[in-house]
Amino acid sequence: MTDLVLFGAPGAGKGTQAELMNEWLPVPRVSSGDLFRYNLSNNTELGRLAKTFMDRGELVPDDVTVAMVRERLQRPDCATGVILDGFPRTVAQAEALDALLADMGRRVDAVLFIQVSRESLLGRLAGRWTCPTCGAVYHEVFNPERSKGICDVDGAKLFQRQDDTPETQARRIDVYQEQTAPLEQYYRDQSVLVDIDGEQDIAMVQAQIKAAVQAL
Ligand code: ADP
Ligand code: ADP
């Protein structure tokens, strides 16, 4: 059983690292942002509700978010573990996650805290391009696709997320500082936090994460 949380500010590289971890860790990645975007593109009630918060860079309310993640974690593919990306984002969500895993006889094994300066976060978010079909993430400068504007994996046309405007990016980082950063202490107190230097290049960050997970 391996239950991991990728923790860090918007743009820290959580999605990028989760994707690479899939190559050596056979547990699914569960991204709350992707779950909201999936609901949005299918125009569900949950998607329409989430959109009003996402467009402003604010957090979707805890009860809605927790219910969505709970449903996802109860599916069979999560039976042997999960890599959580973007969840939890508040102390209330972290407490709900602890309770949820405890019900399944599990616990958060490690929280990989990817630390990146605000300046780097803004540079990363500004140059982020995403594949609409497979979710692969690129960066104009730091991790460019092979053929401009086209996903390496499946050839789809890359897009920039609607909530990746300069105003929303800055707001998301502020919201992180206010509501999500307190989780660092929450998880340090549980002795599960592992510090990862997120300023390194993508491969170096991945190597540090792999070493930390293999040492568990
Ligand atoms: P990023 O990759 O930039 O950190 P995400 O894809 O994780 O962004 O999240 C996009 C938006 O989805 C957030 O700004 C927020 O509105 C919503 N969201 C995602 N995860 C959560 C969560 N755990 N709690 C509340 N809102 C969330
Ligand atoms: P998050 O999921 O934490 O919001 P992403 O994985 O979407 O972050 O990464 C944000 C942007 O930064 C993407 O454009 C990605 O290609 C780029 N990126 C990720 N990790 C690094 C890194 N270590 N160095 C430089 N750029 C990175």
Side-chain angles (χ1 to χ4, degrees):
M1 209 75 75
T2 317
D3 291 302
L4 303 174
V5 172
L6 286 170
F7 175 52
K14 302 180 295 293
T16 301
Q17 295 300 328
E19 208 179 298
L20 293 169
M21 289 167 80
N22 272 327
E23 290 169 16
W24 51 270
L25 193 66
V27 299
R29 162 192 175 201
V30 170
S31 154
S32 44
D34 282 355
L35 291 173
F36 284 131
R37 280 185 288 278
Y38 177 80
N39 275 280
L40 222 137
S41 62
N42 287 293
N43 199 23
T44 66
E45 196 183 325
L46 172 64
R48 286 192 296 275
L49 171 79
K51 184 174 163 41
T52 59
F53 296 93
M54 294 171 83
D55 284 347
R56 284 183 279 132
E58 308 283 339
L59 296 184
V60 180
D62 285 336
D63 53 346
V64 177
T65 305
V66 168
M68 175 182 74
V69 173
R70 178 187 297 121
E71 192 273 323
R72 179 69 189 87
L73 291 186
Q74 284 167 348
R75 290 202 215 147
D77 64 323
C78 294
T80 56
V82 68
I83 302 170
L84 286 165
D85 162 10
F87 180 91
R89 258 174 154 99
T90 63
V91 172
Q93 290 180 15
E95 288 168 350
L97 175 63
D98 284 347
L100 193 67
L101 289 176
D103 280 349
M104 300 192 272
R106 290 154 61 174
R107 60 186 288 262
V108 172
D109 295 301
V111 175
L112 303 153
F113 179 28
I114 308 177
Q115 278 180 278
V116 176
S117 69
R118 185 182 177 96
E119 195 189 352
S120 300
L121 293 173
L122 288 169
R124 289 184 186 183
L125 291 173
R128 171 162 70 183
W129 288 81
T130 308
C131 175
T133 48
C134 77
V137 177
Y138 300 89
H139 190 281
E140 287 169 8
V141 179
F142 308 127
N143 184 29
E145 62 280 12
R146 282 195 294 271
S147 170
K148 182 119 184 92
I150 304 294
C151 179
D152 293 354
V153 182
D154 61 15
K157 192 168 176 294
L158 302 179
F159 78 112
Q160 281 200 300
R161 272 168 45 180
Q162 200 186 336
D163 61 344
D164 268 347
T165 64
E167 298 74 31
T168 320
Q169 286 163 359
R171 182 67 194 134
R172 294 217 304 281
I173 295 171
D174 291 343
V175 166
Y176 169 83
Q177 286 303 341
E178 291 158 19
Q179 300 184 51
T180 309
L183 279 180
E184 178 186 346
Q185 196 56 46
Y186 179 87
Y187 283 125
R188 272 196 208 286
D189 290 345
Q190 291 191 5
S191 304
V192 289
L193 198 90
V194 181
D195 290 294
I196 304 288
D197 175 8
E199 295 286 346
Q200 309 171 94
D201 69 31
I202 292 172
M204 292 286 286
V205 175
Q206 181 67 190
Q208 209 184 334
I209 288 177
K210 192 172 182 179
V213 173
Q214 288 177 339
L216 286 177

